[in-house]
Amino acid sequence: MKITRIGHACVLLEGTKNVLIDPFITGNPAAKLSLEQIPKLDYILTTHDHDDHFGPDGINLAKRDDATLISIFDITQRDDVQQSGIKNVGMNIGGTFNDDNIEVSLTPAVHSSKNGSPVGLIIKMDGRTIYHAGDTALFGDMRLIPELFGALDVALLPIGGHFTMDEKAAARAVEILQPQLTVPIHYNTWPPIEADTSQFKQFCQGFNVQIVDPGESFTA
Ligand code: NI
Ligand code: MN
């Protein structure tokens, strides 16, 4: 599976299905790809509907590609989502969607949201298990995530502080989650969430951490 960090918390997974997580390209100062460069999508997932995770791009891309939005139920009930006519699957924390090629589960996140609860996402595709934590503080029940979903191949964790975990808290999350690979997200987009990635790597000693700049891809 090819994983591209579009910028901020927006991540593209390209495998059997093409999946865009936390669509925020228009107005994203960190985004290195334009909407036109996003391949045809099958699914759009969002962790919560703060504007830096579910902007107008979410609905527009779903319309463009006839893609399915998967999110907390309350976001699928927003007037703009309902009126757009896009395909959607509204679940709640603890729920899992699956078709033949992909499994998406909603996990807890300690944060706020405009509609419904914020969530984290577990995506299983092409034999890989990816955890996108969304915006969240550190919480002890993260230990249940690998217990419930199996070993994590990739953990995408916010490290910017102010709205989420900072470098130190995110490093503790890495210890709890024990992922094969950790990629930090949600930092350096704006001044309040500046983070020191070398400090984060130091805090994560013994674990595999890769800094993926906006626009860069890696294989999992
Ligand atoms: Ni947020
Ligand atoms: Mn955010």
Side-chain angles (χ1 to χ4, degrees), residues 48 50 52-53 111-112 135 163 186:
H48 63 299
H50 284 154
D52 57 325
H53 298 259
H111 191 66
S112 63
D135 280 1
F163 302 110
H186 209 276

Side-chain angles (χ1 to χ4, degrees), residues 15-210:
T16 304
K17 299 285 178 183
N18 289 340
V19 181
L20 188 67
I21 306 171
D22 278 354
F24 173 46
I25 295 159
T26 305
N28 179 350
K32 284 286 182 292
L33 268 74
S34 65
L35 289 176
E36 293 72 31
Q37 290 171 290
I38 304 293
K40 188 180 188 310
L41 300 169
D42 299 292
Y43 292 103
I44 294 171
L45 318 181
T46 185
T47 59
H48 63 299
D49 66 350
H50 284 154
D51 295 344
D52 57 325
H53 298 259
F54 189 66
D57 294 340
I59 291 173
N60 291 338
L61 286 168
K63 266 193 200 164
R64 184 192 79 175
D65 295 343
D66 197 27
T68 302
L69 171 70
I70 303 179
S71 70
I72 195 92
F73 175 77
D74 311 77
I75 293 179
T76 65
Q77 298 305 301
R78 277 174 33 161
D79 287 346
D80 55 350
V81 173
Q82 286 292 314
Q83 283 158 16
S84 72
I86 62 169
K87 295 188 286 188
N88 62 84
V89 177
M91 298 195 292
N92 216 310
I93 297 167
T96 296
F97 164 86
N98 55 70
D99 72 14
D100 292 341
N101 302 296
I102 190 170
E103 202 172 288
V104 178
S105 304
L106 305 190
T107 63
V110 178
H111 191 66
S112 63
S113 184
K114 289 197 268 188
N115 289 274
S117 298
V119 304
L121 300 162
I122 291 282
I123 301 109
K124 288 181 183 255
M125 180 169 71
D126 297 341
R128 297 281 181 273
T129 302
I130 316 292
Y131 174 48
H132 186 298
D135 280 1
T136 187
L138 178 66
F139 57 95
D141 283 352
M142 270 185 190
R143 73 184 64 255
L144 297 174
I145 290 174
E147 190 183 312
L148 199 58
F149 298 102
L152 303 177
D153 293 288
V154 181
L156 301 156
L157 303 179
I159 68 161
H162 197 87
F163 302 110
T164 69
M165 301 190 281
D166 60 9
E167 300 93 330
K168 192 178 170 194
R172 187 73 184 89
V174 170
E175 270 185 282
I176 291 172
L177 295 163
Q178 303 267 322
Q180 211 38 250
L181 172 67
T182 299
V183 174
I185 58 171
H186 209 276
Y187 65 94
N188 290 357
T189 315
W190 300 285
I193 60 168
E194 269 162 20
D196 183 340
T197 51
S198 53
Q199 191 187 48
F200 176 61
K201 281 182 105 162
Q202 263 173 24
F203 286 146
C204 292
Q205 243 170 27
F207 291 96
N208 187 15
V209 174
Q210 196 178 334

